[in-house]
Amino acid sequence: MRALNFNAGPATLPISALELARDELVDFAGTGMSILEHSHRGKDYDAVHTEAKSLVRELLGVPDSHHILFVQGGASQLFAQVPMNFAQEGKKASYVVTGAWSEKAVAEAKVTGAMLRHQVEVAATTGTGDGKEKQYTRVPTDDEIRVDPGASYLHYTSNETIHGVEFHRIPRVPSGIPLVCDASSDFMWRKTDTSKFSLVYAGAQKNVGPSGIVVLLAHKDLVESGRKDIPKIFQLRTVAENDSLYNTPPTFAIYLIRNVMRWLKGEGGLEEIEKRNLEKAKVLYDALDAAPAFYTLPVDRESRSVMNIVFRLPSEALDEKFMAEAKKRKMVGLKGHRSVGGMRASLYNAVPLGWVRELAVLVTEFAKQNG
Ligand code: PMP
């Protein structure tokens, strides 16, 4: 029996994507070799690479103005790579800060700023309190986001995986300023107007595949405008010019993305998956909201994440008891991030509605028994 896996990432993958990988592991498409053993320059791997890219483009409706790229190193590497490429000398790189991940992105931009003589500004932050007490419970309104008119770009995190805070709109940005989004934990859970973005990057290990690889949608003009005074390996231009094959890519990770994209298409694509995701989030939020004296939901209703549902119980002792009860029901991955505590259930694309219903039953029963 599969574990009911609510991990924040790496997260549960569609069983069909794993089974296909198992079936093809030793002999890929009758070639007598594993895909792990194929050259990244050969035609067999090339078909996988092209299919993975094309399916992302097709499912999300990405226009021809944008490249689809794969970069190894994780989304954390992009925290440095984005300003290295696109923060122009003497200008401001602008950031919206809504939680722990955008804080990390700003911190890396400050480091590259010192090296590459660009500045960094925080265009908006919703953080309150300091240090360990710091809280993020909402996204800013458009009016709260104040971007320097000469900024190189505006960066935001569409879903804060740790704090459970999500943008349910694309923020307004002054015309001419490229919009850059870390969409790691809410990539491809629904359709979005990708033409509004100059750059979207997402660590794959939540909705689209395994860890260690990032999927990017990058406007060709932005890529072209990127800095050339940084190492070639870090230039997105190099990635784009070489179809993400400048050096040896993580071929197996891209192969798994292909399998996950096939599953997503087979399930009916993003319109269908969006309906399911909204239903899943409603089932769990409704169960939590039904016991307000027992569960605390720190995030404002309008900013609640559809992917990462964060909630607190009345005490740490009850946290432990809740998790023990969850374990008996084969549920894993419910502990909140160590920096904020409490509970977190991640309901990515591959989490079935049935698992969420079972979790909702636990939420309801547990409050009755312990409230
Ligand atoms: N951004 C967000 C929103 C994330 O959730 C994460 C990882 N959980 C990262 C960036 C960093 O990703 P990685 O660990 O792959 O570098």
Side-chain angles (χ1 to χ4, degrees):
M1 186 202 163
R2 297 267 285 162
L4 281 62
N5 181 354
F6 296 103
N7 268 316
T12 194
L13 288 166
I15 186 73
S16 69
L18 295 176
E19 285 172 346
L20 183 58
R22 178 197 59 201
D23 294 346
E24 294 187 330
L25 187 66
V26 176
D27 184 1
F28 176 71
T31 58
M33 290 157 66
S34 171
I35 192 69
L36 286 157
E37 300 168 311
H38 272 274
S39 164
H40 61 297
R41 307 281 175 208
K43 72 172 175 26
D44 293 297
Y45 174 71
D46 186 59
V48 169
H49 194 85
T50 305
E51 187 182 344
K53 258 185 352 184
S54 311
L55 284 172
V56 172
R57 187 179 291 285
E58 178 189 328
L59 288 162
L60 256 178
V62 181
D64 288 342
S65 50
H66 289 61
H67 299 288
I68 310 277
L69 306 174
F70 299 119
V71 171
Q72 49 195 310
S76 304
Q77 178 170 303
L78 267 294
F79 292 163
Q81 224 174 337
V82 166
M84 282 165 83
N85 276 267
F86 305 118
Q88 292 154 24
E89 192 169 337
K91 294 196 172 171
K92 287 179 179 158
S94 195
Y95 284 78
V96 176
V97 179
T98 47
W101 292 108
S102 32
E103 276 183 5
K104 286 203 162 77
V106 172
E108 288 292 70
K110 286 186 177 156
V111 176
T112 67
M115 293 185 325
L116 295 166
R117 292 178 301 279
H118 67 76
Q119 292 156 24
V120 178
E121 71 167 3
V122 172
T125 177
T126 52
T128 53
D130 280 316
K132 275 197 141 200
E133 302 303 310
K134 193 148 194 177
Q135 296 216 18
Y136 290 93
T137 58
R138 65 178 185 95
V139 301
T141 62
D142 283 337
D143 288 338
E144 287 176 303
I145 303 176
R146 294 178 193 279
V147 191
D148 185 275
S152 298
Y153 57 80
L154 177 69
H155 178 287
Y156 79 108
T157 308
S158 50
N159 184 60
E160 285 284 354
T161 324
I162 293 174
H163 289 89
V165 170
E166 185 173 15
F167 274 89
H168 294 293
R169 60 172 213 282
I170 299 173
R172 191 181 64 211
V173 64
S175 80
I177 297 188
L179 185 61
V180 175
C181 178
D182 171 7
S184 293
S185 51
D186 67 347
F187 189 56
M188 294 190 88
W189 80 258
R190 64 171 160 195
K191 222 160 194 148
T192 24
D193 182 358
T194 50
S195 70
K196 293 239 168 18
F197 296 90
S198 291
L199 183 70
V200 177
Y201 63 95
Q205 68 269 32
K206 288 102 171 32
N207 268 340
V208 294
S211 58
I213 183 153
V214 185
V215 182
L216 293 92
L217 322 177
H219 197 291
K220 292 176 179 168
D221 293 347
L222 181 78
V223 171
E224 200 39 52
S225 74
R227 293 178 72 136
K228 294 185 174 152
D229 57 349
I230 59 170
K232 206 171 171 190
I233 187 75
F234 295 132
Q235 293 181 31
L236 285 189
R237 177 183 298 101
T238 310
V239 183
E241 282 174 355
N242 294 281
D243 189 19
S244 309
L245 289 159
Y246 172 67
N247 65 334
T248 320
T251 51
F252 195 65
I254 294 168
Y255 162 80
L256 274 171
I257 292 176
R258 181 206 73 164
N259 290 3
V260 174
M261 292 300 107
R262 277 190 185 178
W263 167 80
L264 192 51
K265 187 172 174 177
E267 293 299 297
L270 293 185
E271 282 84 2
E272 176 58 27
I273 214 75
E274 172 173 2
K275 271 189 230 147
R276 289 187 205 170
N277 284 328
L278 290 172
E279 173 69 12
K280 279 158 29 188
K282 181 170 162 40
V283 164
L284 188 51
Y285 279 121
D286 281 355
L288 292 162
D289 284 336
F294 193 74
Y295 297 109
T296 309
L297 282 82
V299 179
D300 289 5
R301 219 164 255 274
E302 314 76 62
S303 300
R304 284 179 175 179
S305 173
V306 172
M307 295 282 105
N308 311 101
I309 296 182
V310 169
F311 56 100
R312 293 198 196 111
L313 282 81
S315 71
E316 277 181 29
L318 283 168
D319 285 356
E320 294 303 322
K321 197 172 171 196
F322 184 90
M323 274 179 315
E325 194 49 50
K327 198 172 168 196
K328 282 191 210 152
R329 303 175 192 213
K330 242 183 164 253
M331 296 173 185
V332 298
L334 289 166
K335 198 174 171 55
H337 191 270
R338 58 191 184 280
S339 61
V340 294
M343 298 290 141
R344 170 178 56 175
S346 297
L347 311 184
Y348 299 123
N349 288 352
V351 171
L353 177 59
W355 294 4
V356 185
R357 288 216 172 101
E358 286 189 45
L359 178 57
V361 168
L362 168 61
V363 160
T364 307
E365 287 178 3
F366 196 84
K368 277 202 191 110
Q369 286 156 10
N370 297 279

mmCIF file of all heavy atoms in Angstrom, residues 73-77 79 101 157 159 161 182 184-185 203 205-206, ligand 1:
data_model
loop_
_atom_site.group_PDB
_atom_site.id
_atom_site.type_symbol
_atom_site.label_atom_id
_atom_site.label_comp_id
_atom_site.label_asym_id
_atom_site.label_seq_id
_atom_site.Cartn_x
_atom_site.Cartn_y
_atom_site.Cartn_z
ATOM 1 N N GLY A 73 20.638 22.026 -10.112
ATOM 2 C CA GLY A 73 21.123 22.795 -8.970
ATOM 3 C C GLY A 73 20.024 23.228 -8.016
ATOM 4 O O GLY A 73 20.302 23.642 -6.895
ATOM 5 N N GLY A 74 18.768 23.117 -8.437
ATOM 6 C CA GLY A 74 17.683 23.460 -7.521
ATOM 7 C C GLY A 74 17.299 24.933 -7.598
ATOM 8 O O GLY A 74 18.067 25.773 -8.084
ATOM 9 N N ALA A 75 16.114 25.220 -7.095
ATOM 10 C CA ALA A 75 15.619 26.605 -7.147
ATOM 11 C C ALA A 75 16.513 27.538 -6.332
ATOM 12 O O ALA A 75 16.642 28.722 -6.648
ATOM 13 C CB ALA A 75 14.182 26.661 -6.647
ATOM 14 N N SER A 76 17.166 27.006 -5.303
ATOM 15 C CA SER A 76 18.068 27.851 -4.497
ATOM 16 C C SER A 76 19.194 28.415 -5.353
ATOM 17 O O SER A 76 19.662 29.525 -5.115
ATOM 18 C CB SER A 76 18.688 27.039 -3.357
ATOM 19 O OG SER A 76 17.690 26.468 -2.577
ATOM 20 N N GLN A 77 19.636 27.638 -6.321
ATOM 21 C CA GLN A 77 20.691 28.150 -7.200
ATOM 22 C C GLN A 77 20.182 29.332 -8.022
ATOM 23 O O GLN A 77 20.905 30.284 -8.271
ATOM 24 C CB GLN A 77 21.184 27.038 -8.136
ATOM 25 C CG GLN A 77 22.253 27.535 -9.095
ATOM 26 C CD GLN A 77 22.900 26.402 -9.854
ATOM 27 O OE1 GLN A 77 23.442 25.480 -9.265
ATOM 28 N NE2 GLN A 77 22.829 26.465 -11.162
ATOM 29 N N PHE A 79 18.195 31.521 -7.001
ATOM 30 C CA PHE A 79 18.190 32.730 -6.155
ATOM 31 C C PHE A 79 19.427 33.579 -6.460
ATOM 32 O O PHE A 79 19.383 34.801 -6.412
ATOM 33 C CB PHE A 79 18.189 32.375 -4.663
ATOM 34 C CG PHE A 79 16.922 31.716 -4.174
ATOM 35 C CD1 PHE A 79 16.915 31.042 -2.960
ATOM 36 C CD2 PHE A 79 15.752 31.785 -4.900
ATOM 37 C CE1 PHE A 79 15.757 30.441 -2.484
ATOM 38 C CE2 PHE A 79 14.582 31.180 -4.441
ATOM 39 C CZ PHE A 79 14.592 30.498 -3.222
ATOM 40 N N TRP A 101 11.102 31.747 1.700
ATOM 41 C CA TRP A 101 11.810 31.540 0.429
ATOM 42 C C TRP A 101 12.142 32.854 -0.245
ATOM 43 O O TRP A 101 13.234 33.007 -0.806
ATOM 44 C CB TRP A 101 11.028 30.594 -0.491
ATOM 45 C CG TRP A 101 11.021 29.217 0.096
ATOM 46 C CD1 TRP A 101 9.967 28.572 0.674
ATOM 47 C CD2 TRP A 101 12.151 28.337 0.231
ATOM 48 N NE1 TRP A 101 10.374 27.344 1.150
ATOM 49 C CE2 TRP A 101 11.699 27.182 0.892
ATOM 50 C CE3 TRP A 101 13.494 28.414 -0.132
ATOM 51 C CZ2 TRP A 101 12.540 26.097 1.201
ATOM 52 C CZ3 TRP A 101 14.338 27.349 0.169
ATOM 53 C CH2 TRP A 101 13.858 26.213 0.823
ATOM 54 N N THR A 157 7.538 35.426 -5.003
ATOM 55 C CA THR A 157 7.378 33.992 -4.782
ATOM 56 C C THR A 157 5.883 33.715 -4.782
ATOM 57 O O THR A 157 5.178 34.164 -3.873
ATOM 58 C CB THR A 157 8.001 33.598 -3.418
ATOM 59 O OG1 THR A 157 9.335 34.111 -3.380
ATOM 60 C CG2 THR A 157 8.020 32.097 -3.197
ATOM 61 N N ASN A 159 4.113 31.126 -4.283
ATOM 62 C CA ASN A 159 3.595 30.333 -3.165
ATOM 63 C C ASN A 159 4.730 30.080 -2.172
ATOM 64 O O ASN A 159 5.748 29.500 -2.528
ATOM 65 C CB ASN A 159 3.048 28.996 -3.674
ATOM 66 C CG ASN A 159 2.409 28.176 -2.568
ATOM 67 O OD1 ASN A 159 1.444 28.614 -1.941
ATOM 68 N ND2 ASN A 159 2.944 27.001 -2.297
ATOM 69 N N THR A 161 6.099 28.029 0.448
ATOM 70 C CA THR A 161 5.895 26.630 0.828
ATOM 71 C C THR A 161 5.880 26.428 2.345
ATOM 72 O O THR A 161 5.179 25.558 2.852
ATOM 73 C CB THR A 161 7.039 25.788 0.217
ATOM 74 O OG1 THR A 161 7.360 26.330 -1.061
ATOM 75 C CG2 THR A 161 6.672 24.334 0.096
ATOM 76 N N ASP A 182 9.378 32.945 -8.623
ATOM 77 C CA ASP A 182 9.732 31.622 -8.109
ATOM 78 C C ASP A 182 8.408 30.897 -7.858
ATOM 79 O O ASP A 182 7.696 31.193 -6.907
ATOM 80 C CB ASP A 182 10.533 31.754 -6.809
ATOM 81 C CG ASP A 182 10.734 30.406 -6.104
ATOM 82 O OD1 ASP A 182 10.370 29.361 -6.684
ATOM 83 O OD2 ASP A 182 11.266 30.405 -4.975
ATOM 84 N N SER A 184 8.113 27.569 -7.483
ATOM 85 C CA SER A 184 8.495 26.185 -7.171
ATOM 86 C C SER A 184 7.334 25.343 -6.654
ATOM 87 O O SER A 184 7.141 24.215 -7.089
ATOM 88 C CB SER A 184 9.611 26.174 -6.132
ATOM 89 O OG SER A 184 10.786 26.708 -6.688
ATOM 90 N N SER A 185 6.574 25.900 -5.701
ATOM 91 C CA SER A 185 5.584 25.033 -5.068
ATOM 92 C C SER A 185 4.158 25.261 -5.562
ATOM 93 O O SER A 185 3.237 24.643 -5.028
ATOM 94 C CB SER A 185 5.671 25.167 -3.540
ATOM 95 O OG SER A 185 5.640 26.513 -3.163
ATOM 96 N N GLY A 203 11.496 24.632 -8.913
ATOM 97 C CA GLY A 203 12.122 23.364 -8.541
ATOM 98 C C GLY A 203 11.096 22.269 -8.826
ATOM 99 O O GLY A 203 9.929 22.414 -8.499
ATOM 100 N N GLN A 205 10.545 19.269 -7.663
ATOM 101 C CA GLN A 205 10.201 18.197 -6.718
ATOM 102 C C GLN A 205 8.866 18.333 -5.996
ATOM 103 O O GLN A 205 8.634 17.661 -5.005
ATOM 104 C CB GLN A 205 11.325 18.042 -5.676
ATOM 105 C CG GLN A 205 11.501 19.204 -4.702
ATOM 106 C CD GLN A 205 12.485 20.230 -5.195
ATOM 107 O OE1 GLN A 205 12.622 20.447 -6.389
ATOM 108 N NE2 GLN A 205 13.175 20.902 -4.276
ATOM 109 N N LYS A 206 7.999 19.224 -6.500
ATOM 110 C CA LYS A 206 6.669 19.313 -5.896
ATOM 111 C C LYS A 206 5.623 18.800 -6.893
ATOM 112 O O LYS A 206 5.031 17.758 -6.687
ATOM 113 C CB LYS A 206 6.357 20.753 -5.470
ATOM 114 C CG LYS A 206 7.162 21.203 -4.249
ATOM 115 C CD LYS A 206 8.290 22.073 -4.644
ATOM 116 C CE LYS A 206 9.063 22.772 -3.546
ATOM 117 N NZ LYS A 206 9.245 22.209 -2.254
HETATM 118 N N1 PMP B 1 11.594 28.198 -3.561
HETATM 119 C C1 PMP B 1 10.519 27.605 -2.989
HETATM 120 C C2 PMP B 1 9.211 28.319 -3.015
HETATM 121 C C3 PMP B 1 10.659 26.356 -2.392
HETATM 122 O O1 PMP B 1 9.603 25.773 -1.816
HETATM 123 C C4 PMP B 1 11.931 25.720 -2.388
HETATM 124 C C5 PMP B 1 12.135 24.346 -1.783
HETATM 125 N N2 PMP B 1 11.194 23.848 -0.975
HETATM 126 C C6 PMP B 1 13.006 26.371 -2.983
HETATM 127 C C7 PMP B 1 12.794 27.600 -3.564
HETATM 128 C C8 PMP B 1 14.379 25.757 -2.994
HETATM 129 O O2 PMP B 1 14.405 24.635 -3.782
HETATM 130 P P1 PMP B 1 15.652 23.663 -3.802
HETATM 131 O O3 PMP B 1 15.709 22.970 -2.479
HETATM 132 O O4 PMP B 1 15.332 22.725 -4.919
HETATM 133 O O5 PMP B 1 16.856 24.485 -4.074
#
